[in-house]
Amino acid sequence: MEPWDYLPHLWRDAVRSLAPEHLATLEEVRFRLDRPVLCYGPNWCVPLSKMGSAVLRQQDLDELVSIIADHSLYARVEELRQAYLTLPGGHRVGIAGSAVWKEGSLATMTDIAGLNFRRARDVKGAGQTLLQTFQELGRPVQSLLVAAPPRCGKTTLLRDLARHFSENGERVTVVDERSEIAGFYRGRYGFWLGPHTDVLDGWPKAEGMMAAIRTLGPDRVVVDELGGSGDMGAVARALSAGVSVVASIHAGSYQQLERIGFSDRGSRTVGDLFDAVAIVSRRLGPGTVEELWHAGERLWRVEA
Amino acid sequence: MKLLGALLTVMAAWWLGRLMARPYRLRVTALEQGIGVLEQLRPEIAWHQRILDVAFQRASRSYSVWQPVAEILSQQIGQHESNFATAFHQALITVPGLWEKDLAVWDELGQVLGQSSAEFQIDHLQAAEAELARNLNEARSQGLKTARLTEILVSLVGVALVIVLI
């Protein structure tokens, strides 16, 4: 099912009545307070025409949040705290609103001002092609970092890499802090990740990686969107424990990666941790591999 | 024949009395079971963090009067259309024996159920439970007294009718 299938029928029907070429490539439906609903594709944006110029009220947004959370916000507090809600099938709804702080930490969100229904993709074979390219260049991959700006297909690529390694007999543990890779929802996986994959769903990345190494004995750990120095430290510890890591990070180029230091003295960069780095963009569509790096050396670059 | 007629008249009056007293007894059952459902809901929400329709189904398993409420609620929520308070109200009106003042407590709970973190949900459930317990005490002390009185009075009317006829 698509993420918009979980909308109330008025909105659902409006989305389904988009032109076929738009519906086929629809990536996001965005609901924003006091503005019309907009649909986004790779290189287009159209308003939901069936809704006319109707703008969204606060009540509409609150009701939408309640419906997609199955009217059980208490069970989704952790997701709300991270500004998203997961839907069945691995889809997710990003939420914009005001943060509520309690005792110095983010407790939840209120005054919802925007919702982004985003379609999760499952592209089989993308990861395999990437690994084959490294192989053909004579540099087999142990630890791989996928670097890209948002909405460039990092998670889709990681998902396929996890599946590929698992289907080739490796024991893979996916640390899925935001339920994006496995699409775990109410005890079920939204995506097939291979026969040898375990998922630590909802675990913070650093703690999840350490728990995986201690208890699950993985050959490879897959983790999405590395952020703070704690995450990088956990990657370093996993690598020193002999576990390969496949991860993604927000960065537009290798040079940007080089600027992300993580050790106490800032003497090591993220690029030092991983032997292989793929720079991805959405220039020719999501998942466009721009450059491949290995041990600090650029191996390949896409033709301009 | 006279004896049989008299017996039937008294029995009919007793049955009529029971029928007239039924709402009072139903209210006690609905409130007792409703409080039981609320008690079961607490761990379902606070500990298991199950979503409301599943939590309600599990909590009402041992309470026959409330089982249909859980089913209706599940259907309504499953359609992704109505808001919870409306769906909850529509489910509540199928419970036999609830009075207006009991429905008001449940409706108030329906306005906040599922809309906050687990600790606040527990507070709401406890507040509703305390309110319903007060209603139950009243139903037991005054309602059941009224029910018994109605039964006795109507039965006595039957006896009086038999005496007059004889």
Side-chain angles (χ1 to χ4, degrees):
Chain A
M1 285 190 39
E2 301 292 354
W4 19 96
D5 291 333
Y6 299 95
L7 288 166
H9 80 277
L10 189 69
W11 304 105
R12 193 168 57 222
D13 293 349
V15 173
R16 284 175 181 166
S17 66
L18 285 172
E21 66 274 18
H22 283 156
L23 196 56
T25 55
L26 182 58
E27 288 177 349
E28 294 175 350
V29 180
R30 290 188 180 240
F31 296 79
R32 295 184 177 104
L33 185 64
D34 297 331
R35 275 170 284 177
V37 182
L38 295 174
C39 301
Y40 293 82
N43 293 306
W44 56 266
C45 169
V46 294
L48 266 190
S49 55
K50 213 175 177 183
M51 305 306 295
S53 58
V55 294
L56 280 168
R57 296 164 301 152
Q58 185 72 64
Q59 192 191 341
D60 299 324
L61 285 171
D62 289 344
E63 238 172 70
L64 276 174
V65 169
S66 185
I67 285 171
I68 56 181
D70 297 307
H71 305 287
S72 309
L73 294 178
Y74 57 83
R76 313 291 283 274
V77 169
E78 193 50 42
E79 290 177 31
L80 277 175
R81 216 169 56 78
Q82 298 189 52
Y84 73 89
L85 286 169
T86 307
L87 291 173
H91 307 295
R92 62 175 33 214
V93 182
I95 304 173
S98 304
V100 177
W101 293 84
K102 190 180 173 189
E103 291 162 13
S105 61
L106 185 59
T108 184
M109 286 183 84
T110 187
D111 297 333
I112 306 297
L115 297 172
N116 175 17
F117 281 71
R118 189 171 168 191
R119 177 194 255 164
R121 291 182 181 277
D122 192 19
V123 182
K124 289 182 179 154
Q128 197 175 352
T129 312
L130 184 67
L131 294 174
Q132 269 172 2
T133 312
F134 274 107
Q135 199 94 37
E136 283 161 14
L137 294 165
R139 305 284 182 94
V141 170
Q142 281 305 311
S143 288
L144 171 66
L145 181 66
V146 178
R151 298 189 304 116
C152 289
K154 290 184 302 294
T155 309
T156 308
L157 201 51
L158 278 192
R159 190 179 297 131
D160 194 55
L161 285 166
R163 183 168 42 224
H164 171 78
F165 288 123
S166 177
E167 284 177 345
N168 281 290
E170 287 190 37
R171 277 165 289 192
V172 176
T173 299
V174 175
V175 182
D176 201 4
E177 184 171 355
R178 289 155 59 106
S179 309
E180 276 190 295
I181 304 176
F184 206 69
Y185 181 82
R186 284 204 225 164
R188 287 175 190 275
Y189 296 121
F191 299 103
W192 167 247
L193 294 180
H196 305 295
T197 303
D198 298 300
V199 179
L200 290 175
D201 181 71
W203 280 68
K205 288 178 271 281
E207 286 88 339
M209 277 189 271
M210 290 303 99
I213 293 163
R214 278 198 303 269
T215 61
L216 295 170
D219 298 315
R220 203 173 287 269
V221 171
V222 176
V223 58
D224 200 8
E225 292 184 13
L226 295 176
S229 58
D231 296 346
M232 311 303 176
V235 171
R237 284 197 290 279
L239 293 171
S240 62
V243 177
S244 301
V245 178
V246 177
S248 72
I249 193 165
H250 282 135
S253 66
Y254 193 80
Q255 290 67 34
Q256 284 180 5
L257 272 184
E258 290 280 82
R259 288 197 286 271
I260 306 174
F262 75 92
S263 69
D264 289 342
R265 293 175 300 280
S267 57
R268 295 182 74 186
T269 68
V270 178
D272 298 334
L273 280 176
F274 295 85
D275 55 347
V277 175
I279 309 293
V280 175
S281 78
R282 56 182 292 127
R283 194 163 52 86
L284 305 171
T288 305
V289 179
E290 294 282 349
E291 291 176 356
L292 295 180
W293 291 71
H294 195 277
E297 176 195 349
R298 190 169 70 199
L299 298 180
W300 179 86
R301 187 179 189 176
V302 73
E303 297 293 322
Chain B
M1 282 297 280
K2 268 187 185 174
L3 194 65
L4 187 65
L7 193 68
L8 283 174
T9 308
V10 172
M11 277 177 68
W14 173 82
W15 178 79
L16 197 65
R18 293 279 297 179
L19 202 66
M20 288 170 73
R22 196 160 178 261
Y24 298 101
R25 294 190 189 282
L26 273 179
R27 185 186 181 208
V28 171
T29 309
L31 285 171
E32 280 174 347
Q33 293 198 6
I35 289 170
V37 170
L38 289 185
E39 281 170 0
Q40 298 285 324
L41 262 183
R42 269 191 270 163
E44 293 293 334
I45 286 176
W47 177 250
H48 297 290
Q49 303 237 323
R50 292 198 170 94
I51 61 165
L52 268 183
D53 62 338
V54 177
F56 222 91
Q57 272 179 8
R58 292 176 64 93
S60 63
R61 270 196 303 215
S62 317
Y63 304 102
S64 56
V65 174
W66 286 85
Q67 277 169 4
V69 175
E71 282 161 25
I72 295 168
L73 203 57
S74 179
Q75 284 167 7
Q76 298 262 345
I77 290 176
Q79 288 168 357
H80 297 258
E81 303 299 340
S82 54
N83 70 37
F84 182 78
T86 312
F88 195 52
H89 180 78
Q90 281 170 0
L92 281 175
I93 54 180
T94 64
V95 178
L98 285 183
W99 288 16
E100 278 297 318
K101 60 196 298 190
D102 308 325
L103 273 174
V105 178
W106 282 101
D107 276 336
E108 207 173 308
L109 179 65
Q111 299 284 342
V112 291
L113 212 50
Q115 300 301 311
S116 56
S117 67
E119 53 184 309
F120 294 113
Q121 291 293 294
I122 295 304
D123 291 345
H124 293 311
L125 288 173
Q126 283 174 335
E129 205 178 312
E131 197 77 22
L132 289 172
R134 268 194 292 277
N135 288 4
L136 177 61
N137 275 340
E138 178 205 294
R140 276 186 183 142
S141 60
Q142 293 176 11
L144 286 184
K145 207 185 288 174
T146 312
R148 274 194 292 273
L149 197 66
T150 308
E151 282 170 11
I152 291 165
L153 279 178
V154 178
S155 300
L156 285 177
V157 169
V159 173
L161 189 68
V162 168
I163 292 167
V164 169
L165 287 174
I166 288 172

